[in-house]
Amino acid sequence: MSQIDLDSIQLPPGEDFGIESDDEDLYREDNLELDTGLGNIIIVDNLPVVPREKFEKLEGVIRKIYSQIGVIKDDGLWMPADPDTHKTLGYCFIEYNTPQEAELAKEKTNGYKLDRSHIFAVSMFEDFDRFMRVPDEWAPPETKPYTPGENLQQWLTDEKARDQFVIRAGSDTEVLWNDARQLKPEPVHRRPFWTESFVQWSPLGTYLATVHRQGSAVWGGASTFNRLMRYAHPQVKLIDFSPGEKYLVTYSSHEPSNPRDPQRVVINIFDVRTGKIMRDFKGSADDFAVGGTGAVTGVSLVQIPSKEELRQKNLFSVSDCKMYWQSNGDYLAVKVDRYTKTKKSTYTGFELFRIKERDIPIEVLELENKNDKIIAFAWEPKGHRFAVIHGDGPRPDVSFYSMRSGNNTGRVSKLTTLKGKQANALFWSPAGRYIILAGLKNFNGQLEFYNVDELETMATAEHFMATDIEWDPTGRYVATAVTSVHEMENGFNIWSFNGKLLYRILKDHFFQFSWRPRPPSLLSPEKEEEIAKNLKKYSKKYEAEDQDVSMLLSEQDREKRKMLKDEWAKWVSRWKQMHEEEKLERQNLRDGEASDEEEEYEAKEVEVEELLDVSEEVLSFDYEE
């Protein structure tokens, strides 16, 4: 090797012999912006031009201003001077410990008025490279021909009307169809290291968002999941979509270099389609605080954006207060924990607001035992009923109430109370009517599927150590999962709405399960009512399809049983052949007896004595004794 001149070896132009360069990924079509490591430096322009003797005083003034925002590195303030006049040039460079402190300094001091003649103009050092690339002459942007994009709602046209879900297990993220007819999931797309934190569906199910150290990204498509847009936000921790999927909000918080400084918060609002930042908020956590931490004295219902107060209710002796909105906004429940007269204990009641009725009437509801601890509360989606788990014992009670009474007087009425249930969480079906009374954590995954219309239990089951429960968007199926908070039995179960276990999937290091949301139905209320009235006519087609699938599954079961039976017959045949081949050897072992039947022989017990050893020993004997 020492005799080979490596510099003299040249490959044909464009030929790499299939060996990809280590740096190849830096030049792909993504065209990533690289971190130059200068994001913590700012340039402060419009400073006074002073001679050498005033240099130290001006530096002290600048350091005093900018050291209040963050920690300036040692030798991190440099003010260049003219070598001929020995006067400053009117600008300086300041280097902070972190890019976040540099961004905050730019935000806080750009436009800062030192005096009448000197108003600071602050820029990030990294921006200058971008400014230098601006051409001297304006040129119109290149017009690109329109190319239609993929249909991001293609999944809604599935002929089997199936729903999708996403799971994360180990380093893999997978999107799958829930094929309940086949009693198994069908893969759609799988990718390792798809996200560094978690994944999240958009509210209408159009996009799947992933979270990374550099920011967030959204994915979608007709046949596969392609990256549609990226949103730069270093160290992002949380994301959320607007209800119409037009905007994406990203959030991060950063620890300051100086422990005495407040925590820094960054919130960006992006346009989902273009990736453009529409608004950004940067500052301390205190800047985003709303309201105070004093005692609760009342509840006010305010209309947005007019900020008109629609209803107000004063509250007294309040220990704690929580609010629960019904999904359609028809009702609001305010759970109020109040102190007793002695201030030594508390009791609980509910203030129920009827939002859509005239003057927004308020009704007070107290449980029969108002000292009962409220464990869980949940409104029926799109309905008028709610459920409450209450009690202090190991088996609390579950009560159901309706905001409509029997004679429609507008009074809340109790439907029933279920005594002594192993439940601490409530999960209504998105379509209402059905609810799961779940015993998570200490109750080890107890499940009761309950029909609130009929006030009867449909099924009871258990998913041992279950940590999560989530209904699919149609209310037909429900998933229960054991995530990696437990070391064993990780995976998920899919159940029918009435509590029948359809299939079970085990996954090591299981982190997340999430159904893909569906957009609202495009059918009018009249059309939905017409379909409900003629459901039998429409259901014949699907009942026939279900029967075909059932017959197919039965045929598959028969084939499987036949295969097992054939395998058993082959094993028996091989055993008989081996038994026949060993017949002579067995006969020899029986001293010539040919029969293998035990009943033809008489069992006799024979005792055999065998002398193993004989030894003699002379013992001395004293006669006087």
Side-chain angles (χ1 to χ4, degrees):
M1 286 293 292
S2 60
Q3 298 176 356
I4 297 176
D5 183 5
L6 297 177
D7 294 332
S8 65
I9 300 176
Q10 293 184 353
L11 296 178
E15 179 61 70
D16 59 6
F17 293 99
I19 303 174
E20 191 174 83
S21 167
D22 293 338
D23 298 328
E24 195 76 22
D25 58 340
L26 300 180
Y27 303 100
R28 296 187 187 277
E29 58 185 29
D30 292 345
N31 194 21
L32 299 176
E33 293 184 10
L34 301 180
D35 183 8
T36 61
L38 301 175
N40 58 334
I41 301 175
I42 62 172
I43 302 173
V44 184
D45 202 359
N46 243 6
L47 298 178
V49 177
V50 299
R52 183 183 295 274
E53 55 268 20
K54 293 185 179 181
F55 183 92
E56 187 174 343
K57 183 177 180 180
L58 178 60
E59 182 181 358
V61 171
I62 296 171
R63 188 178 292 275
K64 182 177 180 181
I65 294 171
Y66 284 93
S67 61
Q68 297 177 31
I69 300 172
V71 178
I72 300 175
K73 284 189 174 183
D74 295 340
D75 299 326
L77 196 159
W78 180 53
M79 211 177 325
D82 189 315
D84 297 328
T85 63
H86 301 291
K87 290 184 178 181
T88 60
L89 295 175
Y91 61 88
C92 73
F93 300 87
I94 300 176
E95 184 177 5
Y96 283 99
N97 274 344
T98 65
Q100 289 76 29
E101 291 173 329
E103 290 178 6
L104 183 61
K106 174 191 172 184
E107 178 186 347
K108 295 288 187 183
T109 63
N110 187 38
Y112 177 80
K113 190 174 181 180
L114 186 64
D115 56 36
R116 287 185 179 181
S117 304
H118 301 92
I119 300 175
F120 290 176
V122 184
S123 303
M124 301 298 295
F125 186 85
E126 287 186 331
D127 290 342
F128 271 83
D129 183 48
R130 180 164 50 89
F131 297 151
M132 294 299 292
R133 292 200 299 265
V134 177
D136 296 333
E137 295 183 6
W138 179 83
E142 179 184 354
T143 303
K144 297 182 179 180
Y146 171 74
T147 54
E150 287 192 90
N151 181 7
L152 301 182
Q153 278 76 37
Q154 180 72 28
W155 62 280
L156 292 171
T157 63
D158 179 58
E159 293 182 352
K160 300 178 182 178
R162 298 173 297 178
D163 281 288
Q164 290 184 354
F165 58 85
V166 63
I167 61 172
R168 289 194 307 114
S171 60
D172 292 338
T173 302
E174 296 181 73
V175 178
L176 305 106
W177 289 109
N178 172 37
D179 202 333
R181 288 177 173 177
Q182 300 292 341
L183 303 179
K184 63 181 180 180
E186 180 182 318
V188 176
H189 188 72
R190 175 180 172 272
R191 183 173 298 187
F193 305 105
W194 200 352
T195 182
E196 296 179 47
S197 180
F198 60 91
V199 294
Q200 182 171 324
W201 293 108
S202 58
L204 305 180
T206 308
Y207 308 106
L208 179 66
T210 56
V211 179
H212 312 269
R213 283 172 292 180
Q214 302 91 345
S216 183
V218 295
W219 309 73
S223 57
T224 185
F225 281 80
N226 302 312
R227 187 175 62 207
L228 305 176
M229 187 56 62
R230 293 186 299 177
Y231 313 93
H233 187 151
Q235 302 175 42
V236 61
K237 293 183 179 178
L238 298 173
I239 62 172
D240 200 9
F241 288 88
S242 62
E245 301 184 340
K246 188 174 181 180
Y247 303 107
L248 175 72
V249 181
T250 59
Y251 164 90
S252 64
S253 59
H254 308 275
E255 295 294 333
S257 299
N258 189 340
R260 292 173 293 181
D261 293 339
Q263 191 178 48
R264 176 169 163 75
V265 170
V266 178
I267 297 177
N268 292 329
I269 301 178
F270 295 90
D271 184 290
V272 170
R273 289 184 178 272
T274 65
K276 179 182 177 182
I277 293 184
M278 309 303 293
R279 294 288 302 274
D280 65 318
F281 304 91
K282 300 174 183 178
S284 68
D286 297 337
D287 295 338
F288 297 91
V290 178
T293 57
V296 177
T297 58
V299 176
S300 294
L301 192 65
V302 179
Q303 189 176 48
I304 300 297
S306 66
K307 298 183 181 179
E308 177 188 357
E309 186 176 77
L310 303 178
R311 195 69 163 88
Q312 196 267 345
K313 177 68 182 289
N314 292 325
L315 302 174
F316 303 96
S317 303
V318 176
S319 166
D320 191 21
C321 182
K322 290 184 178 178
M323 302 184 189
Y324 304 91
W325 278 99
Q326 187 254 10
S327 61
N328 287 353
D330 294 339
Y331 309 105
L332 169 66
V334 181
K335 182 177 77 72
V336 184
D337 297 335
R338 290 183 170 92
Y339 290 108
T340 59
K341 291 182 178 180
T342 61
K343 302 285 186 181
K344 294 181 179 180
S345 60
T346 61
Y347 64 95
T348 301
F350 291 92
E351 307 282 339
L352 303 173
F353 292 68
R354 298 176 183 270
I355 306 299
K356 299 296 177 68
E357 297 184 19
R358 184 177 178 181
D359 298 329
I360 311 180
I362 303 174
E363 189 173 352
V364 178
L365 171 67
E366 290 185 351
L367 302 178
E368 294 179 0
N369 182 0
K370 63 182 182 180
N371 293 322
D372 272 0
K373 177 184 176 183
I374 304 299
I375 299 171
F377 177 99
W379 284 103
E380 177 185 27
K382 305 176 184 178
H384 57 88
R385 296 174 290 200
F386 61 89
V388 184
I389 301 179
H390 55 94
D392 296 315
R395 287 176 172 262
D397 299 337
V398 183
S399 295
F400 294 91
Y401 294 85
S402 172
M403 295 296 286
R404 303 173 187 171
S405 57
N407 52 9
N408 201 24
T409 58
R411 299 284 296 177
V412 65
S413 60
K414 187 168 80 168
L415 302 176
T416 189
T417 295
L418 308 177
K419 297 289 187 179
K421 293 295 180 179
Q422 286 185 295
N424 54 16
L426 299 164
F427 298 91
W428 283 95
S429 163
R433 185 178 179 181
Y434 306 114
I435 190 173
I436 295 177
L437 314 179
L440 306 180
K441 297 179 180 178
N442 295 337
F443 286 139
N444 290 329
Q446 297 295 321
L447 306 172
E448 182 170 344
F449 295 79
Y450 193 76
N451 185 337
V452 184
D453 280 1
E454 305 297 332
L455 298 179
E456 64 180 12
T457 298
M458 298 181 291
T460 57
E462 180 187 54
H463 187 176
F464 185 60
M465 296 191 295
T467 56
D468 299 87
I469 297 178
E470 187 175 346
W471 285 87
D472 85 324
T474 66
R476 297 175 295 174
Y477 306 103
V478 63
T480 59
V482 178
T483 57
S484 59
V485 295
H486 296 298
E487 295 182 358
M488 300 171 59
E489 300 293 324
N490 279 198
F492 63 94
N493 292 356
I494 300 295
W495 311 75
S496 65
F497 73 93
N498 57 358
K500 179 182 178 182
L501 179 61
L502 301 177
Y503 59 89
R504 183 186 188 194
I505 303 295
L506 295 178
K507 291 277 187 180
D508 290 336
H509 306 294
F510 189 74
F511 298 120
Q512 186 179 0
F513 181 103
S514 180
W515 290 102
R516 188 171 193 173
R518 283 179 173 266
S521 173
L522 298 178
L523 298 176
S524 64
E526 294 77 18
K527 184 62 176 177
E528 289 185 355
E529 185 177 353
E530 186 265 330
I531 292 174
K533 288 181 179 179
N534 300 281
L535 191 60
K536 289 185 177 180
K537 180 180 73 174
Y538 291 108
S539 64
K540 288 181 180 179
K541 171 187 174 183
Y542 301 104
E543 287 174 356
E545 290 182 3
D546 288 345
Q547 187 174 2
D548 291 342
V549 172
S550 179
M551 292 178 63
L552 177 62
L553 292 175
S554 298
E555 183 64 29
Q556 291 175 350
D557 287 341
R558 283 194 293 271
E559 290 293 332
K560 186 177 180 180
R561 288 196 296 269
K562 183 176 181 300
M563 182 181 67
L564 293 174
K565 184 178 180 181
D566 291 344
E567 288 181 359
W568 168 252
K570 289 179 182 179
W571 186 89
V572 171
S573 176
R574 288 196 303 270
W575 184 86
K576 288 182 177 179
Q577 181 182 355
M578 183 177 63
H579 187 265
E580 187 65 27
E581 292 173 352
E582 296 174 348
K583 181 177 181 180
L584 182 60
E585 184 177 350
R586 291 195 304 277
Q587 186 174 344
N588 293 333
L589 292 173
R590 291 192 293 262
D591 296 330
E593 296 292 338
S595 176
D596 290 321
E597 301 299 329
E598 293 185 4
E599 292 80 2
E600 298 181 9
Y601 297 95
E602 180 181 354
K604 293 183 178 180
E605 292 185 5
V606 179
E607 294 184 1
V608 178
E609 292 185 2
E610 183 178 355
L611 186 62
L612 298 178
D613 188 23
V614 176
S615 62
E616 291 184 2
E617 184 178 354
V618 178
L619 299 176
S620 61
F621 184 78
D622 191 346
Y623 288 98
E624 293 181 358
E625 294 180 1

